[in-house]
Amino acid sequence: MSASTIHQTDIAVFTIVSDYSEPLMTLQIMLIKRAVRTAKGHYNIECSKWALPGGFVQPDETALQAAKRELAEETGITDIHMKHVGMYDRPGRDPRGR
């Protein structure tokens, strides 16, 4: 891969919510709503869409480090157990870049 290759990481945060009045548990996933403007002030082509938290991997970090950083930046959540599950790398998967 060249030095100009861009990688992205997405984070799926799951939780189980229990209603103690009934023996019912619900699996939930965290989503964020994409901003109208990017951090650089440009119009975000993904604005107002619901998405998994995530972002681009910096050259000096692993995908897992980037996932932890992006989760903290986008949600304020830190210090949770994270596990690398898989890689999805089809060219053209994300119109913002690879």
Side-chain angles (χ1 to χ4, degrees):
M1 290 183 189
S2 71
S4 64
T5 301
I6 299 172
H7 299 278
Q8 183 175 341
T9 185
D10 293 305
I11 306 102
V13 178
F14 296 95
T15 189
I16 296 174
V17 177
S18 177
D19 181 352
Y20 293 105
S21 64
E22 299 180 27
L24 178 67
M25 292 189 280
T26 305
L27 179 66
Q28 295 184 353
I29 187 167
M30 174 190 292
L31 297 175
I32 61 165
K33 196 167 188 180
R34 295 285 181 203
V36 174
R37 299 274 174 203
T38 66
K40 294 180 179 179
H42 300 116
Y43 176 74
N44 184 357
I45 63 172
E46 298 290 315
C47 75
S48 300
K49 292 181 181 178
W50 290 101
L52 295 171
F56 296 106
V57 180
Q58 301 299 316
D60 62 339
E61 64 186 356
T62 67
L64 186 58
Q65 290 169 329
K68 290 178 180 181
R69 176 182 52 76
E70 287 289 342
L71 185 64
E73 287 175 6
E74 294 185 9
T75 69
I77 295 173
T78 60
D79 298 323
I80 65 170
H81 173 73
M82 294 183 101
K83 179 180 176 181
H84 180 235
V85 176
M87 182 184 329
Y88 310 95
D89 61 354
R90 180 182 49 83
R93 183 181 84 71
D94 188 331
R96 299 172 296 165
R98 183 159 188 207

